[in-house]
Amino acid sequence: MTLARDERIFLTVLLVNLAVALVYLLAGVLFLVPAHAAAAGEEKGEALYDNRRTYLLRFLVMVLCPVIGPLFFFMGQLFYLLVFWRDVDLADVIFSKERVRTRMKADEERERDIIPLEEAILVNEKKDLRMVMMNVIKEDIRNSLASITLALDSEDSEASHYAAAVLSDELNKFRLYVQRLWRQIQEEEPGETECEEILLDYMDNILRQRIFSDHEQRKFVNILTESAESLYGKDPSRLTLERYEEVCLRALEVKEFDRASKWCGRMKEQFPEELPSYTCRLKLSFARQDREDFFETLEALKRSNVVIDNETLELIRIFS
């Protein structure tokens, strides 16, 4: 009697398990798979996940492993819904190649013979000059454009050709990039400052090398100061001390004294006790030959608590 009741319970469990597995198979094949395919917009076939073959294999597992099979899939789906119920937000994840540092073995033979490009031009040894030019071209040349410009007057035609080709390419890139960023600044929303900040930092790195003609240098300095003006109008706090200094110095180089004076005043107002605030005013007064303002600024610097570098200290010694 006990055995017969156990057999009935066992058969009931098997039938219920089979019914559950069958309902799962039919629901997946007839409803879930077409719904997933329609949501994914897949017209050529089913998705690689949760397709009809997957539901068939799960059905066989449920039939061959009564109770355990359905419970396994049910708990797996429940865990997925509780833990992975929303998509991962990758908006703040940055994949930057700049963080990858490649360690390469030093080329001792090449580095033993390295000399500055200026010295190679002065010595005028064709072999050394060409080797230095090729080594410079292989590196990031944006900080070496002024030195490459010197090679244009070299007696070695091949070296001067290298220099002309590199300069032409880099300066064209600079012109196009500045024009594109300047257009983006005109189209920015009132609170956006990203393009101005990028343009200020990018242009100063090239303009400080004085590789353009006077007319073109003045043109780009005007774009630089206009970008700084735009940034100042939107958010003055985004103008760092370094950006104030670069705008002042570039304006001084093209003898835009009124514009340089305006930015020196703004830098003094925002960074009153910083060394560049004094040195830029000293350079402006010297360029204008304004002795009174020069010595007033110099005396104010000596009375201040600003830490003075060697160059400024030497200046104080000369004029004291």
Side-chain angles (χ1 to χ4, degrees):
M1 188 71 176
T2 304
L3 183 60
R5 195 179 75 174
D6 291 343
E7 288 177 350
R8 285 200 300 273
I9 294 174
F10 178 72
L11 290 174
T12 303
V13 170
L14 286 180
L15 290 174
V16 171
N17 181 82
L18 180 61
V20 170
L22 194 58
V23 169
Y24 179 81
L25 176 64
L26 294 176
V29 171
L30 299 179
F31 300 104
L32 297 178
V33 170
H36 287 161
E42 298 182 7
E43 300 176 354
K44 296 182 179 180
E46 301 171 0
L48 294 178
Y49 57 89
D50 286 348
N51 52 26
R52 290 182 172 86
R53 183 180 301 174
T54 303
Y55 282 98
L56 179 60
L57 292 175
R58 291 175 182 172
F59 169 76
L60 295 176
V61 172
M62 291 181 182
V63 172
L64 297 175
C65 303
V67 182
I68 301 298
L71 279 177
F72 172 78
F73 291 117
F74 173 75
M75 294 302 295
Q77 185 66 20
L78 182 64
F79 180 78
Y80 173 79
L81 293 175
L82 292 176
V83 178
F84 304 104
W85 59 278
R86 63 179 180 179
D87 294 335
V88 179
D89 184 10
L90 297 178
D92 296 331
V93 179
I94 299 175
F95 299 95
S96 175
K97 292 184 178 180
E98 295 179 358
R99 299 184 182 183
V100 179
R101 295 183 179 180
T102 304
R103 305 294 183 183
M104 300 181 66
K105 183 180 178 181
D107 188 349
E108 297 181 4
E109 187 66 26
R110 184 177 72 88
E111 293 182 4
R112 189 182 297 118
D113 296 329
I114 286 181
I115 59 173
L117 181 57
E118 294 86 346
E119 293 183 12
I121 295 172
L122 290 174
V123 174
N124 203 26
E125 285 288 340
K126 293 184 178 181
K127 180 181 177 182
D128 293 339
L129 180 56
R130 291 178 183 179
M131 182 186 67
V132 173
M133 281 294 302
M134 295 307 298
N135 290 336
V136 169
I137 291 172
K138 291 178 184 177
E139 306 295 334
D140 185 1
I141 63 173
R142 284 178 296 180
N143 296 323
S144 307
L145 296 178
S147 299
I148 295 176
T149 306
L150 299 175
L152 292 174
D153 298 328
S154 172
E155 295 180 1
D156 182 12
S157 59
E158 188 171 343
S160 61
H161 173 73
Y162 291 158
V166 169
L167 281 173
S168 176
D169 184 53
E170 286 298 317
L171 296 185
N172 284 335
K173 288 180 183 178
F174 175 82
R175 295 183 183 102
L176 292 174
Y177 190 60
V178 168
Q179 290 174 5
R180 181 161 63 86
L181 278 179
W182 181 242
R183 284 196 299 268
Q184 291 178 6
I185 289 174
Q186 313 304 316
E187 300 169 358
E188 273 185 336
E189 297 295 328
E192 294 180 347
T193 62
E194 182 180 3
C195 289
E196 285 93 339
E197 295 179 66
I198 295 174
L199 187 59
L200 286 174
D201 298 336
Y202 175 74
M203 290 188 71
D204 182 67
N205 191 37
I206 304 297
L207 293 180
R208 67 172 61 194
Q209 301 182 59
R210 301 297 303 271
I211 53 178
F212 292 102
S213 64
D214 291 342
H215 174 73
E216 200 167 14
Q217 181 82 5
R218 183 180 297 273
K219 170 188 170 183
F220 285 123
V221 169
N222 287 337
I223 294 177
L224 179 77
T225 53
E226 288 297 327
S227 302
E229 193 72 49
S230 175
L231 183 59
Y232 185 83
K234 293 178 180 179
D235 187 1
S237 64
R238 305 300 298 175
L239 277 162
T240 62
L241 180 64
E242 291 76 14
R243 287 170 180 161
Y244 271 115
E245 185 179 17
E246 70 188 37
V247 173
C248 292
L249 295 181
R250 299 296 82 77
L252 271 176
E253 288 171 353
V254 296
K255 295 181 170 45
E256 291 280 351
F257 296 140
D258 292 338
R259 186 171 287 176
S261 178
K262 177 174 68 174
W263 284 102
C264 284
R266 289 174 174 176
M267 179 163 55
K268 178 184 176 182
E269 180 180 348
Q270 190 165 341
F271 301 98
E273 293 303 318
E274 295 289 345
L275 181 60
S277 179
Y278 289 96
T279 55
C280 285
R281 281 183 285 152
L282 286 171
K283 291 175 182 178
L284 175 62
S285 301
F286 187 83
R288 280 181 160 178
Q289 298 184 354
D290 188 344
R291 293 175 55 84
E292 183 178 351
D293 185 64
F294 179 85
F295 285 107
E296 283 182 4
T297 306
L298 194 63
E299 288 298 322
L301 176 59
K302 289 194 289 185
R303 292 193 302 267
S304 69
N305 296 322
V306 176
V307 179
I308 302 175
D309 58 17
N310 292 331
E311 181 183 356
T312 311
L313 184 60
E314 187 65 25
L315 182 68
I316 293 175
R317 288 173 180 171
I318 293 173
F319 289 97
S320 294

